[in-house]
Amino acid sequence: MGKVKKIALLSGGGDCPGLNAVIRAVTKAAISKYGYEVIGYVYGYDGLYKNNYIELTEQKVEGIYKEGGTILFSSNKTNLFDMPFEDEDGNIVKRDVSDVGVENLKQAGVDVLVVLGGDGTLTSARDFARKGVNVIGIPKTMDNDLAATDLTYGFISAMSVGTDFIDRLNTTAKSHHRVICCELMGRDAGWIALYAGLAGNASCILIPEIPFSIESIVKHVAKRDEQGLPYTVIAVAEGAKYADGTKVIGKIVEDSPDPIRYSGLAQKVADDLEAAIENHEVRSVNPGHIIRGGDIDAYDRIISIRFAIKAVELISQGLFGNVVTLKGNDMTYSSLEEVIGQAKVGKQKHVDPSGELVMAAKAIGVCFGDD
Ligand code: F6P
């Protein structure tokens, strides 16, 4: 292809701390270092379908370096390869309207599409790449469960806010000799709960990778009583499960690529503990989306810049069809085909139940509800 003149950004899926910082750094470097024009489609692929975009300038993005959310807004539903339409009989039929997206990119003079998203959004990015569109992916997941990269922006911010919750719950739990369960997002990976729980001194951490029993937690609470520590804060990953496989699903979002939304596990664990423990009151809190919002952590501001600059570098080198990744301390890239292939066979990055971090936590007395 000829020289790149214009690039377009698009963010899809749920918002994630760091998206704005990435949008800012891509825009600034693309304009000032490489002389590209930059536009941003709004509401993810919906904007691409409806040709709804805004011009991104250095001035427009300057102040968003630490703001959570995304100035391009997001949609976790639109899939141009499988769009629902109502036919004349009122039935919902799915159609592939991706050609409209390809045509809109052409009309707008876009040479490269930069897609910020998780599995679902990047799957469409791969499919656009297969249709000949020059695509660069920048992974987005605060859950830290993408196998292709050691870390993504968002996780550290979520962990920091989660840590603050656990810290605060410790002081109030201690005052009232209570047991308090705090639910933390993370879907089917326990990274946020493990890190926030450990950093915030939760003495019990429940994660999806280690099935738990109420009996084990009751024993742990009794042991703490004996040790003169008559309070317990429990970090509960929303996707954790009981030893018999029980999970708590908050709602099903039918038209989402990943329809299950977990919510309510901390409340159930609290109810079960209240029935099993006599000498402590039990409470539960669910900060939910609060760990996704607000200003982002300082480290996420840096890593967002690094992901962004690598993406623009890949554009300048014509290395399309790739996703920016972090391996060790090196910014690098993997092919969209490989990243999506891994995700499709369920190869997510999970906490190793017998790994170093879990062992370290156990060594300082943290209960995972499994003994
Ligand atoms: O994947 C990010 C995440 O925040 C998960 O941790 C959580 O389970 C999910 O998204 C919540 O999705 P929604 O914003 O659709 O409720």
Side-chain angles (χ1 to χ4, degrees), residues 41 48-49 80 97-106 128:
Y41 287 101
L48 179 58
Y49 181 64
L80 303 195
V97 293
S98 56
D99 282 344
V100 177
V102 176
E103 192 49 36
N104 284 342
L105 288 168
K106 264 193 210 137
F128 275 112

Side-chain angles (χ1 to χ4, degrees), residues 14-15 76 140-143 145 184-188 192 238 251 253 256 260-262 289 291-292:
D15 70 285
N76 60 4
K140 171 231 68 162
T141 162
M142 74 170 201
D143 303 336
D145 59 354
L184 293 164
M185 283 186 168
R187 240 187 251 280
D188 292 305
I192 296 174
E238 61 175 2
K251 74 185 330 188
V253 183
S256 161
I260 292 176
R261 296 293 183 276
Y262 294 119
H289 293 78
I291 64 165
R292 235 160 78 173

